[in-house]
Amino acid sequence: MAQQAITLMYERNAPDNGIAWRRVAYLLHLSRILDEMEETRLVPERKVLYQFSARGHDMAQIILGLQLTNRHDAACGYYRSRPLLLSLGVDPADALGSAMGRAGGYSDGRDIGVVFNYPNRNGASALPMCGGVGAQYTPTAGWAEALRYYATVLGEKDYRDAIAVVLGGDGSIASNGFWSALTIATTQKLPMLFYVEDNGYGISVPSDLQTPGGNIAANLASWRDLTIFEGDGSNPGDVARLTQQAVDFVRGRRMPALLRLSVPRLEGHSFQDTQSYKSEAVVKAEWARDPLPRLRDYLVPSVLSADEWETCRQEAGDIAERARVEAEGRGVASPETVTRHVFYDGEIQSMGGQHCDGYQAPECSDEAAPGGQRINMVTAIRRTLEHELAINKRVVLFGEDIGPKGGVHAVTLGLQEKFGKERVFDTSLSEEGIVGRAVGMALAGLVPVPEIQFRKYAEPATEQINDCGTIRWRTNNRFAAPVVLRMPGGFFKCGDPWHSQTNEVAFIHQPGWKVAVPSNAEDAVGLLRTALRGNDPVIFFEHRAMLDHQWARRPYPGDNYALPFGKARFTRTGDAITIVTWGAMVPRCEEAAEGISADVIDLRTLMPWDRASVVSSVRRTRRCLIVHEDLGTAGFGAEIAAVIAGEVFMDLDAPVSRLTMPDIPSPHNPTLLDWAVPSVESIRQKIAALVEY
Ligand SMILES: Cc1ncc(C[n+]2csc(CCOP(=O)(O)OP(=O)(O)O)c2C)c(N)n1
């Protein structure tokens, strides 16, 4: 359909346009009363620590929210989205209690009060919001993508009319996430509505610094496959028609649209913001556009009598007061519970991943089946993906060049041909988009397996990776997004600062992610299978040097082979020294330890890591060398060394020692690279020094 820009004029008399106006009036009063209660009581009493007024944004959000009626609809908003949440059915006591950081609610006091989530099996859900501006966009695109997947690939009819809606301010439209999601939604033709609430400011920065001329709708008028709607978000008639048109369009056409409504921000950005950057005239003009009196004018008397309007206000006041009493009565969660729900601990989340839809993993075994064909690590990973794709239709693979080309490392070769473009597909070149859409797909119950082409290129996705990992914790187990994020890295025949870093430790500092670092084909099969059947997000690190390394070739251990995370493999055993390592350093350590009685421990996973095996081995050998490719300072070896120092100090006969790359990027020339990466010879020397110490 051709692009269209629709601007409707203010209309004084309310027609019967299918909007539940009484409910709008009630919810708008409720939202206002909650804002006011916070501003006049709860913030001064220090019961609410951060407050972001929604005044001015509220009416339009409520009218939009009341149209999200399909139970697979989902919206993702931001810190000013409480009115929408109320319209979806969030309990006001949860809203207030969460703002106060009380027990229960949407995060049990863990997340900042204004960042919501709402798993709802009977109506539209609110996807876990983020504090980062713009982070809401790509997960919403992922939800939209999942809706199509359920409808087409899985043939589930009740997904056919569902839509995804993302809310953002005029500041957010300058973010990477916005552009990434816009590209995804329009190239993929997804049922996604971008709802931009333009209040003219991002805190104090005017919107013409976010987009030239300040109007994103005007600037996107020629964007292909995007239909634009635009109007005055303080005008009830405009809002009703435009939200209906935009929602109907996305529902009916299964295509993306952008609705920009200009709204006044009637208070400061947050409670602390005095708005010194706005002139008195601007503030006055904003208050002249307050949607609350406009709504009253619009509804009374043609739709509601003055008494009914007043009744709505009183009802809202009563409910808000009751909610406050209930919320204040909730108390604070016990501090020791705050370490729960970083990972799945047997209590299934309410929404996200396949496990909460009754998934039962097939029988697995950590015993390799005999007689398997000897294969390299590339084939091992491909074969595991292929099997899981074949037995589980929720598994979906995507990334740059993974389709017809089969990936730049050939891991996905032939998989698109076999499983089709819906299940194995190429993406636009945006790592934030790749990971963000995976998060949305996982929230919708799929098993997304995104590929990042090289570990370094996960950096544009850092925010999405961090936010994904914390979902379970910050929603207090209401949501989880078990994504299996594959990425190759490390040196290969040469190094360089872009393709060769490992920096796996960075992921260990992202709470909620498990991290697998297999060194060989058999472990790759076992760990990947566990990841694909598990209930937590996993970084699956594929070392480039090992993908076709002769040492890493192993017999295929079978279609049911699965390895537990946190269980190391002793590739050699002995008494004189413990060598702890992983990835491409394992064969080097093995070779260096030849002729010496050594425990060589391949950790296989770094989160969790097999602390118990390492500690008991060092207690016995009394010496420990940790070898890794990543940089020395604050590399994962530092963590292992600290644990050994803390737990085995009295048993040590030599200082705990590390051999790592120096703190430099990976050098390109093989001579320089060989000098920088621990070699068999340098490991051997270090072992000798420790054994003789
Ligand atoms: C990635 C990121 N950068 C900066 C901030 C700090 N910050 C919070 S809100 C905000 C302005 C956002 O403005 P807009 O998107 O227009 O929404 P509004 O507050 O006007 O509703 C900024 C800069 C943040 N939360 N996230």
Side-chain angles (χ1 to χ4, degrees):
M1 172 170 168
Q3 290 76 34
Q4 59 189 110
I6 302 170
T7 307
L8 295 176
M9 298 302 294
Y10 183 70
E11 189 179 320
R12 290 206 64 80
N13 295 317
D16 177 30
N17 46 15
I19 301 285
W21 286 111
R22 194 185 184 287
R23 188 138 186 87
V24 174
Y26 160 76
L27 288 167
L28 182 53
H29 282 303
L30 179 62
S31 175
R32 288 291 166 110
I33 292 166
L34 295 179
D35 275 342
E36 194 187 329
M37 190 183 267
E38 289 172 341
E39 287 151 6
T40 58
R41 298 172 63 177
L42 301 174
V43 174
E45 289 168 14
R46 296 182 189 278
K47 290 175 180 160
V48 166
L49 302 178
Y50 286 102
Q51 197 259 356
F52 292 75
S53 167
R55 276 183 233 233
H57 288 235
D58 36 18
M59 180 192 72
Q61 281 184 27
I62 289 164
I63 295 173
L64 172 67
L66 290 177
Q67 293 170 54
L68 303 183
T69 48
N70 186 298
R71 71 189 192 88
H72 301 300
D73 286 348
C76 193
Y78 66 112
Y79 47 81
R80 224 178 285 291
S81 302
R82 184 164 67 191
L84 179 108
L85 272 292
L86 293 172
S87 74
L88 297 188
V90 161
D91 180 351
D94 278 355
L96 266 190
S98 301
M100 288 190 262
R102 299 299 168 109
Y106 55 77
S107 90
D108 211 29
R110 295 163 172 221
D111 203 347
I112 185 168
V114 291
V115 175
F116 281 77
N117 66 79
Y118 182 50
N120 183 10
R121 293 275 175 195
N122 303 313
S125 294
L127 305 183
M129 299 172 186
C130 297
V133 171
Q136 68 271 39
Y137 285 106
T138 53
T140 313
W143 185 277
E145 201 150 6
L147 294 176
R148 188 174 63 191
Y149 192 91
Y150 276 106
T152 55
V153 180
L154 303 180
E156 298 205 19
K157 291 197 187 98
D158 53 343
Y159 283 80
R160 279 191 199 154
D161 298 326
I163 66 171
V165 180
V166 69
L167 288 76
D170 47 286
S172 75
I173 54 108
S175 70
N176 297 342
F178 175 81
W179 292 101
S180 179
L182 188 66
T183 303
I184 294 170
T186 49
T187 56
Q188 300 300 307
K189 301 185 172 53
L190 298 177
M192 173 165 176
L193 176 61
F194 292 78
Y195 174 78
V196 178
E197 332 178 31
D198 189 341
N199 61 27
Y201 295 89
I203 306 186
S204 64
V205 179
S207 47
D208 57 6
L209 286 178
Q210 311 294 356
T211 191
N215 182 343
I216 189 67
N219 291 339
L220 287 174
S222 64
W223 191 278
R224 201 181 158 110
D225 291 324
L226 181 72
T227 299
I228 306 277
F229 300 87
E230 192 186 356
D232 178 356
S234 64
N235 175 332
D238 252 20
V239 173
R241 272 190 302 265
L242 287 169
T243 52
Q244 278 177 327
Q245 284 176 353
V247 167
D248 289 353
F249 175 86
V250 177
R251 258 196 223 299
R253 301 286 181 96
R254 317 306 294 154
M255 286 288 285
L258 181 142
L259 167 59
R260 171 184 176 262
L261 293 179
S262 63
V263 291
R265 193 190 77 200
L266 298 177
E267 299 290 344
H269 168 71
S270 63
F271 185 80
Q272 285 76 12
D273 176 23
T274 55
Q275 306 209 76
S276 55
Y277 46 87
K278 284 185 186 169
S279 68
E280 259 179 51
V282 167
V283 173
K284 207 166 155 208
E286 285 179 331
W287 275 100
R289 293 180 60 217
D290 181 357
L292 181 68
R294 285 190 172 194
L295 182 68
R296 190 183 191 284
D297 279 0
Y298 186 73
L299 295 180
V300 178
S302 57
V303 175
L304 298 178
S305 69
D307 281 352
E308 283 173 311
W309 174 265
E310 184 51 26
T311 306
C312 285
R313 200 182 63 76
Q314 277 173 12
E315 268 174 25
D318 292 346
I319 295 282
E321 190 50 30
R322 254 185 276 157
R324 186 194 61 75
V325 172
E326 188 188 327
E328 290 207 39
R330 281 186 182 178
V332 178
S334 328
E336 59 278 7
T337 62
V338 86
T339 54
R340 280 201 74 199
H341 302 313
V342 176
F343 294 107
Y344 172 56
D345 62 5
E347 190 186 317
I348 290 180
Q349 61 275 15
S350 308
M351 199 171 243
Q354 56 183 347
H355 285 254
C356 61
D357 291 340
Y359 171 77
Q360 294 289 335
E363 276 295 292
C364 300
S365 163
D366 59 2
E367 299 271 317
Q373 183 196 7
R374 195 170 176 81
I375 51 174
N376 65 11
M377 204 153 128
V378 170
T379 313
I381 297 167
R382 187 189 306 128
R383 202 151 155 189
T384 310
L385 291 171
E386 187 174 344
H387 181 74
E388 299 301 308
L389 276 161
I391 64 165
N392 186 352
K393 282 197 107 179
R394 290 189 186 219
V395 176
V396 51
L397 272 54
F398 47 92
E400 292 154 14
D401 304 293
I402 76 143
K405 181 173 167 59
V408 300
H409 309 278
V411 171
T412 55
L413 199 66
L415 295 182
Q416 186 179 76
E417 216 176 329
K418 183 152 188 195
F419 296 98
K421 281 185 182 158
E422 289 80 18
R423 300 195 62 202
V424 180
F425 59 87
D426 287 331
T427 64
S428 44
L429 203 166
S430 163
E431 284 73 17
E432 159 152 18
I434 291 170
V435 178
R437 86 210 300 178
V439 170
M441 292 163 96
L443 291 171
L446 299 180
V447 183
V449 190
E451 175 180 303
I452 297 288
Q453 208 158 71
F454 292 91
R455 186 264 170 264
K456 170 82 170 74
Y457 305 138
E459 283 172 11
T462 304
E463 181 181 42
Q464 289 300 330
I465 291 173
N466 185 274
D467 293 350
C468 175
T470 59
I471 285 176
R472 186 188 294 280
W473 181 88
R474 62 190 157 90
T475 67
N476 195 31
N477 208 33
R478 282 155 61 109
F479 280 95
V483 166
V484 180
L485 182 55
R486 298 179 34 246
M487 63 178 81
F491 68 88
F492 183 34
K493 51 196 175 202
C494 54
D496 72 69
W498 317 110
H499 301 93
S500 306
Q501 65 165 262
T502 56
N503 193 13
E504 60 280 271
V505 76
F507 301 117
I508 293 151
H509 263 237
Q510 312 278 10
W513 282 93
K514 294 189 166 173
V515 179
V517 285
S519 65
N520 63 77
E522 182 181 311
D523 291 352
V525 171
L527 295 171
L528 182 56
R529 179 155 292 121
T530 299
L532 293 166
R533 295 178 181 184
N535 195 16
D536 281 308
V538 173
I539 304 276
F540 189 79
F541 194 89
E542 299 169 7
H543 201 290
R544 293 169 66 213
M546 306 315 285
L547 287 174
D548 192 32
H549 197 293
Q550 208 183 346
W551 178 93
R553 292 179 196 167
R554 303 289 154 95
Y556 181 65
D559 289 339
N560 288 322
Y561 184 66
L563 284 173
F565 277 49
K567 184 116 186 50
R569 185 196 290 271
F570 284 63
T571 71
R572 275 168 182 268
T573 49
D575 304 320
I577 187 168
T578 299
I579 302 164
V580 185
T581 190
W582 58 91
M585 294 298 103
V586 179
R588 293 184 182 201
C589 288
E590 274 203 350
E591 197 180 330
E594 240 159 59
I596 296 183
S597 175
D599 271 357
V600 176
I601 302 181
D602 177 356
L603 283 182
R604 307 201 283 199
T605 64
L606 299 182
M607 179 56 80
W609 67 284
D610 194 347
R611 197 176 155 130
S613 292
V614 171
V615 164
S616 78
S617 165
V618 179
R619 210 164 258 150
R620 188 168 43 75
T621 64
R622 307 171 86 87
R623 289 174 168 81
C624 181
L625 171 64
I626 302 149
V627 181
H628 64 65
E629 178 181 339
D630 193 15
L631 316 188
T633 304
F636 194 65
E639 170 67 18
I640 300 169
V643 167
I644 295 168
E647 298 191 22
V648 198
F649 181 72
M650 298 305 285
D651 296 316
L652 290 174
D653 284 345
V656 181
S657 193
R658 288 179 288 159
L659 189 63
T660 70
M661 282 259 290
D663 295 342
I664 54 168
S666 186
H668 183 56
N669 187 293
T671 305
L672 305 182
L673 177 79
D674 287 346
W675 179 87
V677 175
S679 61
V680 173
E681 194 41 46
S682 62
I683 301 168
R684 196 174 279 145
Q685 284 172 14
K686 204 76 178 171
I687 294 172
L690 284 174
V691 171
E692 287 157 20
Y693 185 86

